[in-house]
Amino acid sequence: MKFFLDTANIDQIKEANDFGVIDGVTTNPSLMAKEGVQGEQAFKDHYVEICNIVDGDISAEVVATDFEGMIKEGVELAGLHPNIVVKVPCIREGIKAIKHLSAQNIRTNCTLIFSPGQALLAAKAGATYVSPFLGRLDDISTDSIFLVQQIVDIYKEYNYPTQVIAASIRHTMHIVQCLEVGAHVATCPLDAILGLLKHPLTDIGLEKFLEDHRKLNA
Ligand code: G3P
């Protein structure tokens, strides 16, 4: 399973990239706003900066909601860097846009997926990725991991090449559960990835090893 970092924060992207286990980055308009990125040129520069840090797929989201607007933005975003994947919302115009962009060999990530039916339409349109949002389903007492499993199974059964990015990951258990059901990618906050490292027996064990070494080498 690949790890994408779900942020537009340059410092975190650099830190995660240095850590060495990051395969890409996903952004969205809310994450860009959080970093104070304002204006069309600033957005483009920010995406290029991310592409220059991480050698992997970088999702950049369109903000138009009409077909023509999505295509125009999608083509512009894809032209910024070969690693850009155009993120498109799972709405009627979005599915049409994904079909059109795919025909031009522009890779897409269909976002805001909350049901297997949405994932099916995105795959049929030729989406490179779909992004089901786990945390937001859990927020409304819905089993998000079951949705990931359903989508993975459907794609396998019908041989769709579309890959599943588990998004809106909130904690380490989400990551482990995504591994168990065969998600292709988990896009996570850095804290959730680093959280996988934590185990008290590792800390206790290391302390004991170092203590024994110190005793004999004092
Ligand atoms: O990748 C989607 C993600 O950024 C949404 O996360 O925590 O706002 O549901 P959240």
Side-chain angles (χ1 to χ4, degrees):
M1 187 175 75
K2 287 185 177 174
F3 268 143
F4 290 175
L5 196 69
D6 193 29
T7 186
N9 182 281
I10 297 295
D11 288 340
Q12 279 192 20
I13 292 169
K14 284 182 181 162
E15 187 183 343
N17 194 54
D18 286 348
F19 186 47
V21 297
I22 296 303
D23 305 294
V25 175
T26 52
T27 63
N28 62 39
S30 302
L31 293 172
M32 294 290 273
K34 209 168 151 190
E35 300 311 313
V37 186
Q38 265 183 322
E40 206 178 314
Q41 193 54 47
F43 266 66
K44 289 179 180 168
D45 292 346
H46 204 85
Y47 292 136
V48 171
E49 191 173 357
I50 296 172
C51 289
N52 288 334
I53 300 168
V54 177
D55 184 18
D57 287 351
I58 312 299
S59 286
E61 188 159 340
V62 299
V63 288
T65 53
D66 63 299
F67 175 73
E68 302 292 344
M70 286 186 192
I71 297 301
K72 183 174 174 290
E73 265 186 69
V75 169
E76 279 173 14
L77 288 170
L80 292 176
H81 194 281
N83 290 358
I84 292 278
V85 175
V86 178
K87 212 169 174 188
V88 177
C90 190
I91 55 176
R92 188 170 174 152
E93 297 291 285
I95 296 296
K96 280 170 60 182
I98 287 168
K99 177 85 184 173
H100 192 88
L101 291 168
S102 305
Q104 295 182 49
N105 289 323
I106 291 176
R107 293 175 311 139
T108 55
N109 172 358
C110 189
T111 189
L112 291 165
I113 296 273
F114 294 96
S115 76
Q118 291 177 319
L120 171 66
L121 289 176
K124 283 188 81 72
T128 314
Y129 295 107
V130 288
S131 291
F133 277 32
L134 277 60
R136 293 191 192 184
L137 279 173
D138 291 355
D139 288 345
I140 56 162
S141 306
T142 302
D143 187 346
S144 60
I145 299 300
F146 181 59
L147 172 64
V148 175
Q149 181 160 26
Q150 282 180 304
I151 300 172
V152 167
D153 289 349
I154 290 166
Y155 287 177
K156 223 179 264 175
E157 180 68 25
Y158 291 95
N159 291 319
Y160 286 114
T162 305
Q163 296 197 19
V164 179
I165 303 180
S168 182
I169 295 256
R170 302 272 173 82
H171 47 70
T172 55
M173 266 315 285
H174 270 155
I175 300 176
V176 174
Q177 289 169 318
C178 285
L179 281 166
E180 287 171 350
V181 298
H184 304 89
V185 184
T187 188
C188 319
L190 183 56
D191 280 354
I193 296 173
L194 293 176
L196 294 170
L197 267 179
K198 287 185 197 156
H199 201 290
L201 290 179
T202 304
D203 299 339
I204 293 165
L206 179 61
E207 182 50 39
K208 178 81 175 101
F209 287 158
L210 295 179
E211 189 189 319
D212 290 343
H213 176 80
R214 273 194 301 268
K215 274 185 210 154
L216 281 186
N217 293 280

